[in-house]
């Protein structure tokens, strides 16, 4: 019988987040696909979810403490669902309804307070509506949306899986 502890299950979630971030970096630096502002925010959400999984893996809390780290992972993943979902929606707009392209994220951060920058980025612009790559007919933000939904569900299942598959979870 396989022994899956809360710690090992959390580490698997953390490894998945690290793999997602490494894949994004390979696409950027290896294939020259520059991330739009929404892509960068999706990376932040992935890192936040990863921190939730890492906290669970590193600390292996008992009882209610487990739900704290699950909540952190779920908040990151659900935030990613919202951002990636908005990104996919923007990419599906007819060309005449796509917002105009805006300035770069670096420029906005140098000019505006962070709260306003976040609001502007989440509205999206023409840079975010452009589809640079797709696999099996699904754009990169579409795959990211699928990954975030999977991470959300996985994080919520970790405590139950640990109880079911481990005597000493």
């Amino acid at each position: 019988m396989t022994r899956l502890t809360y710690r090992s299950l959390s580490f698997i979630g953390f490894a998945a987040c690290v793999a997602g971030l490494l894949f994004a970096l390979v696409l950027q630096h290896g294939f020259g696909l520059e991330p739009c502002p929404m892509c960068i925010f999706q990376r932040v959400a992935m890192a936040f979810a990863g921190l939730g999984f890492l906290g669970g893996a590193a600390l292996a809390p008992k009882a209610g403490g487990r739900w704290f780290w699950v909540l952190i992972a779920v908040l990151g993943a659900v935030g990613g669902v919202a951002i990636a979902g908005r990104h996919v929606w923007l990419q599906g707009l007819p060309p005449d309804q796509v917002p105009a392209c805006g300035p770069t994220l670096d420029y906005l951060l140098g000019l505006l307070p962070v709260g306003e920058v976040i609001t502007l980025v989440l509205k999206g612009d023409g840079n975010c509506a452009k589809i640079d790559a797709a696999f099996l007919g699904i754009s990169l933000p579409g795959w990211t949306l699928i990954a975030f939904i999977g991470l959300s569900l996985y994080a919520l299942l970790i405590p139950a899986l640990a109880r079911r598959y481990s005597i000493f979870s």
Side-chain angles (χ1 to χ4, degrees), residues 29-72:
H29 298 289
F31 294 95
L33 294 176
E34 287 300 317
C36 72
M38 289 184 101
C39 292
I40 293 169
F41 278 31
Q42 289 169 56
R43 291 179 187 187
V44 171
M46 185 71 71
F48 192 83
L51 288 175
F53 287 119
L54 179 61
L59 301 175
K62 300 291 180 198
R66 292 179 172 192
W67 286 103
F68 173 77
W69 294 108
V70 165
L71 179 63
I72 298 297

Side-chain angles (χ1 to χ4, degrees), residues 3 6-7 29 31 37 46 57 63-64 74 108 111-112 117-118 121-122 126-127 135 138 145 147-148 161 166 168:
R3 183 170 175 245
Y6 178 84
R7 176 174 280 180
H29 298 289
F31 294 95
M46 185 71 71
V74 168
L108 289 174
L111 188 66
L112 301 170
V117 171
I118 292 171
V121 168
L122 292 180
N127 295 326
F135 180 68
I138 300 174
L145 175 61
F148 277 125
L161 290 171
S166 178
F168 308 105

Side-chain angles (χ1 to χ4, degrees), residues 94-114:
D96 63 324
Q97 293 181 15
V98 172
C101 291
T104 66
L105 188 58
D106 291 337
Y107 178 80
L108 289 174
L109 286 170
L111 188 66
L112 301 170
V114 174

Side-chain angles (χ1 to χ4, degrees), residues 123-164:
K123 286 181 182 175
D125 64 20
N127 295 326
C128 297
K130 182 180 170 197
I131 298 175
D132 289 325
F135 180 68
L136 298 177
I138 300 174
S139 69
L140 292 175
W143 285 110
T144 306
L145 175 61
I146 292 167
F148 277 125
I149 291 169
L151 286 171
S152 300
L153 296 173
Y154 180 74
L156 290 170
L157 288 173
I158 286 176
L161 290 171
R163 269 194 315 275
R164 180 174 179 159

